[in-house]
Amino acid sequence: MIDVGIHGSTGRVGRLLIENLIKDKEARPHVLHALEDFNFTPPKEAIVTDDVVELLQKSAVVIDFTIAMGCETLLENALKHPTPLVIGTTGLNEHQQNLLKEAANNMPILYSTNMSLGVAVLNRLVELASKSLSDFDIEIVEQHHRFKKDAPSGTALTLGEHAARGRGLNLDDVRVSGRNGLIGERSKDEIAIMALRGGDIVGRHTVGFYNDGEFIEMNHTATSRDTFAKGAIKAAKWIINQPNGLYTISDCLGL
């Protein structure tokens, strides 16, 4: 039985991770890191702690769904106490991304902005379409619930990176995050990534390829956060058998 630690166990995805692991035949929710009270009853046999070091030391693998600063704290402690990690936290800044790469030298880490298996496939399809439809304009729109704190979503940015890669471009050089006023015509290479917020939308991403006379839109809609929990658990079972390094959900799926 794989002893799984959960960083962010009181959150919405944290609760789903616990519920899924209770029913799992290969892994269990062994250590639950919590900085606030649970709004549900955690399993009695699980260790509940507010100590990140204890979380790392008593877990075979740790799954992280927190906020950027919480993820940073986990990575800083993991450098001293290496443990396989699965990280689904988004909105990481440059320092935190560099910390992620540094930690991956000492332990296997799977980091993905979206743990959905469908999005992993969509990333590949977007890169292929971008390369094949070189004359088409690319626009990306993401929609999430009103409580999401970062924008655009990490998933949208990852989709944008795959679209840019398909054309040999750097997303930072061609990304547009808004349009307003008399801005002139759209440039050929720009990739727009727009964010909408409202209601209880779990997550919807649309990547459009637009040309004169025709267009193609690829869409992924998450109807439940359970999708992310199941993907993260699959990743946790996989990452514990990998050498040190930085991986994505695509590596886990063999894409």
Side-chain angles (χ1 to χ4, degrees):
M1 189 67 72
I2 303 169
D3 289 335
V4 179
I6 301 175
H7 192 228
S9 59
T10 59
R12 283 171 289 191
V13 177
R15 178 173 184 168
L16 291 171
L17 285 168
I18 294 170
E19 291 174 354
N20 277 276
L21 284 167
I22 289 173
K23 298 178 288 185
D24 200 282
K25 296 180 180 179
E26 301 173 333
R28 61 176 179 171
H30 184 57
V31 187
L32 310 180
H33 183 267
L35 296 178
E36 56 188 33
D37 293 336
F38 289 89
N39 59 3
F40 57 95
T41 303
K44 294 179 180 179
E45 63 274 15
I47 300 168
V48 178
T49 181
D50 60 0
D51 185 354
V52 175
V53 173
E54 183 179 11
L55 170 72
L56 291 163
Q57 290 181 330
K58 294 183 178 179
S59 302
V61 57
V62 171
I63 301 175
D64 170 75
F65 276 90
T66 54
I67 59 175
M69 284 304 299
C71 182
E72 181 176 335
T73 300
L74 177 67
L75 290 169
E76 288 173 343
N77 282 276
L79 283 170
K80 303 172 186 175
H81 307 278
T83 305
L85 302 177
V86 172
I87 296 177
T89 298
T90 61
L92 303 186
N93 60 31
E94 185 177 359
H95 167 67
Q96 291 154 351
Q97 290 175 2
N98 289 334
L99 193 60
L100 183 68
K101 295 173 185 175
E102 180 184 355
N105 292 322
N106 301 322
M107 69 206 83
I109 300 177
L110 189 148
Y111 171 68
S112 277
T113 53
N114 193 309
M115 292 293 171
S116 158
L117 309 186
V119 167
V121 174
L122 180 60
N123 283 327
R124 295 296 185 185
L125 293 175
V126 165
E127 185 171 343
L128 175 62
S130 177
K131 182 178 181 180
S132 302
L133 306 174
S134 58
D135 291 331
F136 284 56
D137 299 326
I138 303 174
E139 302 274 313
I140 299 172
V141 177
E142 58 97 340
Q143 300 169 256
H144 282 88
H145 53 89
R146 66 170 69 92
F147 302 108
K148 186 167 177 60
K149 295 178 175 62
D150 58 308
S153 69
T155 302
L157 290 172
T158 301
L159 287 166
E161 288 168 357
H162 280 81
R165 187 181 306 153
R167 297 184 178 180
L169 302 171
N170 184 325
L171 180 62
D172 289 338
D173 296 334
V174 297
R175 174 183 157 198
V176 173
S177 293
R179 298 186 179 102
N180 185 50
L182 189 62
I183 59 172
E185 294 182 358
R186 186 190 196 282
S187 66
K188 181 180 183 300
D189 288 336
E190 70 184 55
I191 297 175
I193 303 179
M194 307 299 183
L196 305 181
R197 295 289 177 268
D200 62 353
I201 303 170
V202 175
R204 181 179 175 88
H205 294 82
T206 302
V207 183
F209 296 86
Y210 304 94
N211 200 7
D212 297 340
E214 63 175 331
F215 65 87
I216 296 173
E217 290 182 336
M218 300 181 183
N219 174 265
H220 178 273
T221 301
T223 56
S224 168
R225 291 179 181 83
D226 206 41
T227 298
F228 312 137
K230 291 181 185 300
I233 292 170
K234 181 180 180 70
K237 295 176 182 179
W238 180 84
I239 197 66
I240 59 174
N241 296 313
Q242 306 309 312
N244 296 347
L246 187 58
Y247 303 89
T248 71
I249 194 70
S250 295
D251 297 312
C252 173
L253 298 175
L255 297 177

